[in-house]
Amino acid sequence: MSTLKVVGGAKLDEALAQILAKHKKGLAVGILEGSTYPGGESTATVAFLDEYGSESSPPRPFMRITADTKSDMWTKALAVRLKAGDDMDSALRNVGELAVATMKGVIASGVGPANAESTIKRKGHGQTLRDTKHMMNSIAYEVVDTDEKGAKA
């Protein structure tokens, strides 16, 4: 029986990338295709405008903040699940749940800059990215099939 010992963040990332490529699996986390507000507006479009800003509002990069600050935790969680004997799909679903909770937590903690006074007056509160909570509640994950290079198939 052979064992795999990986030490250090970059080595762990590389080893897991190889495992994912071998299994041709990946994980998509965020606002998934097809999510809409009750009026039909694309939730992904609203999230994009929040993430990168628009003419009328500054960027509030909740997805980039989450990925930059929490992806190491997800990588380690995947390694733990695989080492514990989970199959790839089960391990990815477990990490997907963690990633969704983490991204929602980033939004709930508040992503600056603060809302303008006029926005606070209109909404009745100063919480950024949480006017109706629809976008936050639309964050989801999907285990995806990938090609040998890791791109969604």
Side-chain angles (χ1 to χ4, degrees), residues 12 17 24 27 37 48 61 65 74-75 88 90 95 102 106 108 133 140:
L12 177 61
K24 295 185 179 179
L27 188 65
Y37 280 83
F48 179 87
I65 289 170
W74 303 336
T75 300
M88 183 59 70
S90 179
V95 173
T102 305
V106 167
K133 296 188 180 155

Side-chain angles (χ1 to χ4, degrees), residues 59-131:
R60 293 189 175 91
F62 67 96
M63 286 188 244
R64 289 176 287 167
I65 289 170
T66 306
D68 290 347
T69 62
K70 305 299 183 184
S71 61
D72 285 348
M73 176 178 62
W74 303 336
T75 300
K76 289 174 185 169
L78 180 61
V80 166
R81 296 309 326 149
L82 292 172
K83 187 175 180 181
D86 286 5
D87 62 70
M88 183 59 70
D89 281 0
S90 179
L92 286 169
R93 285 192 302 273
N94 186 280
V95 173
E97 292 291 335
L98 175 62
V100 166
T102 305
M103 191 172 290
K104 287 181 177 183
V106 167
I107 292 172
S109 70
V111 177
N115 283 330
E117 284 300 318
S118 59
T119 303
I120 294 169
K121 188 173 184 176
R122 178 177 51 83
K123 290 181 176 182
H125 62 81
Q127 300 171 339
T128 59
L129 304 176
R130 292 177 285 161
D131 189 17

Side-chain angles (χ1 to χ4, degrees), residues 20-21 23-28 33 142-153:
L20 288 169
H23 288 273
K24 295 185 179 179
K25 292 288 182 180
L27 188 65
E33 188 176 339
E142 174 181 34
V143 175
V144 296
D145 293 324
T146 62
D147 63 19
E148 53 280 340
K149 294 180 182 177
K152 189 174 177 180

